[in-house]
Amino acid sequence: MSICSHCHEWTFWYEEKMIIPAEAPVEPPHPEMPEACRQDYIEARNVFVKSPRSAAALLRLCVQKLMPRLGEKGENINDDIKSLVAKGLPVLVQKAFDYCRVVGNNAVHPGEIEINDTPEIALSLFDMINFIVEDRITRPREIEDLYGKLPAESRIAIEKRDTKSN
């Protein structure tokens, strides 16, 4: 047994695997994560200790379910990422999406990445997904909220400025 350096609670281990708590010591889902994604994320947290590969596969599914919330079809992650890039997706966010796509896919179809040997790879998916939600959902909402607080006259002047042809 040991004390978690993150939450300072007791953890119990057997043969180098944490058995209590059953939930992985990873960040909880982002507060603004869509509910369909949240369920998969939480399930991935619950199985991470016993099966990082299963967690990675669930997190890839989480990314796929996130795509319709971002205006994409949600049928093919690679096509959805391509569409988001064409719409101006920042390179850093594109890399986060591709990381989730490749690692999650390799959890289901083993390739060059062996998640069972390096649970840190699967663990990083939790961070990537929370980063994506923060960047694609939370920040735009926060900016829109602040912009909406500007006086109406200022917003009209900005719109007029941006629609003027030179």
Side-chain angles (χ1 to χ4, degrees):
M1 60 185 177
S2 64
I3 294 179
C4 174
S5 62
H6 178 69
C7 70
H8 307 291
E9 297 290 329
W10 285 101
T11 60
F12 297 88
W13 300 73
Y14 179 73
E15 293 183 0
E16 299 184 22
K17 291 187 179 178
M18 185 171 65
I19 55 173
I20 298 175
E23 196 170 273
V26 298
E27 291 295 317
H30 191 284
E32 294 192 46
M33 184 177 291
E35 188 57 36
C37 303
R38 176 183 302 280
Q39 293 170 358
D40 293 327
Y41 186 101
I42 290 170
E43 185 177 347
R45 284 183 82 207
N46 290 338
V47 301
F48 172 75
V49 173
K50 292 184 187 228
S51 177
R53 189 171 163 212
S54 297
L58 283 164
L59 292 170
R60 184 183 185 281
L61 180 60
C62 180
V63 170
Q64 191 157 359
K65 288 181 177 181
L66 182 60
M67 289 301 190
R69 175 67 165 75
L70 303 178
E72 301 304 323
K73 294 178 184 175
E75 295 168 6
N76 180 300
I77 295 175
N78 199 43
D79 290 345
D80 290 343
I81 294 169
K82 180 180 179 180
S83 175
L84 289 169
V85 167
K87 295 173 184 174
L89 184 72
V91 173
L92 196 60
V93 182
Q94 173 255 312
K95 287 179 179 181
F97 270 120
D98 279 323
Y99 182 84
C100 293
R101 178 184 62 83
V102 171
V103 171
N105 193 53
N106 285 343
V108 179
H109 307 299
E112 296 177 16
I113 301 171
E114 185 53 52
I115 293 170
N116 289 330
D117 291 342
T118 58
E120 294 79 15
I121 292 172
L123 190 59
S124 64
L125 285 171
F126 291 99
D127 290 334
M128 290 290 104
I129 291 172
N130 277 334
F131 166 77
I132 290 167
V133 171
E134 175 71 22
D135 189 86
R136 299 285 87 197
I137 296 174
T138 303
R139 285 193 179 139
R141 181 199 48 77
E142 290 173 343
I143 291 168
E144 287 297 327
D145 288 350
L146 289 172
Y147 187 82
K149 292 177 182 178
L150 289 174
E153 306 82 44
S154 296
R155 288 190 313 242
I156 292 168
I158 291 168
E159 186 176 317
K160 190 181 278 188
R161 174 201 68 199
D162 293 345
T163 57
K164 281 186 178 178
S165 57
N166 293 334

